[in-house]
Amino acid sequence: VLGQHPEWEIISSSYNITLPISFSRKIRDLLNDPVYKQLFPKTLMRPDTQSIEEWGLTAGGLYRAAGVGGGITGKGAHILVIDDPIKDDEEADSELRRDRIWAWYSSVAYTRLSPFGRVIVIQTRWHEDDIVGRLMERGLAEVSDDLKIDGSKIDLVRFFSMIDKPAGTFPIVTPKS
């Protein structure tokens, strides 16, 4: 994505910051690879913003790693990735934890989206009242056809816009248990 749109901002989040930081490191290393630079010469790292938690591109793009519930205020996102917002089934059983994740998503994370921005949620469905369940309950997402990837069944969830965002269909891939 950054090769095609080096001006885009991406926020990557998970139940803690460890996973998004590992993705950040891999993506940053890829962008510095000579082959990548040859393929996408306009995707250049800014020398003044290269921390593992947040780094920028000369064209204005930005990659920010954050834990779910963590601070992303003041940051924008063309793509918001939420990968495993719930750590495990024990955490999923906590109504308080599910409420906190939803509050963070609806009042902090979603508000960071640029016009026509996209949300990608990748998660195990530990509980029917998870973030995907709440989106479905509000008519903002629906499960479409069962698919298989590498022998694992997944649901492809179509995600619809909230009030201030343009309507559209966004994929949310959720592995089925």
Side-chain angles (χ1 to χ4, degrees), residues 1-105:
V1 168
L2 292 174
Q4 295 293 319
H5 299 282
E7 73 284 2
W8 280 16
E9 297 176 322
I10 297 173
I11 297 175
S12 177
S13 62
S14 185
Y15 66 87
N16 69 26
I17 198 164
T18 305
L19 186 62
I21 280 181
S22 71
F23 292 151
S24 175
R25 185 175 282 113
K26 288 177 185 177
I27 295 167
R28 195 179 65 178
D29 290 349
L30 177 66
L31 267 61
N32 285 316
D33 184 277
V35 174
Y36 187 92
K37 287 180 175 186
Q38 204 171 28
L39 290 170
F40 303 106
K42 294 181 182 178
T43 307
L44 302 171
M45 299 289 296
R46 282 182 41 196
D48 61 330
T49 60
Q50 291 195 26
S51 79
I52 200 65
E53 211 170 301
E54 180 178 303
W55 44 264
L57 302 174
T58 58
L62 179 81
Y63 184 97
R64 170 83 174 151
V68 168
I72 55 173
T73 304
K75 306 297 179 193
H78 294 87
I79 299 175
L80 169 64
V81 178
I82 303 172
D83 191 345
D84 287 329
I86 297 175
K87 180 171 72 172
D88 54 28
D89 62 341
E90 183 178 329
E91 188 174 283
D93 285 339
S94 166
E95 184 177 0
L96 178 61
R97 181 68 181 140
R98 293 190 315 272
D99 287 347
R100 284 183 179 163
I101 291 168
W102 179 254
W104 173 81
Y105 172 76

Side-chain angles (χ1 to χ4, degrees), residues 83-141:
D83 191 345
D84 287 329
I86 297 175
K87 180 171 72 172
D88 54 28
D89 62 341
E90 183 178 329
E91 188 174 283
D93 285 339
S94 166
E95 184 177 0
L96 178 61
R97 181 68 181 140
R98 293 190 315 272
D99 287 347
R100 284 183 179 163
I101 291 168
W102 179 254
W104 173 81
Y105 172 76
S106 58
S107 66
V108 177
Y110 192 81
T111 65
R112 303 292 90 213
L113 279 182
S114 301
F116 300 100
R118 300 294 190 252
V119 177
I120 301 169
V121 178
I122 304 161
Q123 69 170 55
T124 300
R125 295 293 313 270
W126 297 105
H127 198 282
E128 63 185 27
D129 185 39
D130 59 17
I131 192 170
V132 171
R134 291 185 184 200
L135 288 167
M136 290 168 46
E137 177 184 301
R138 289 160 175 78
L140 299 171

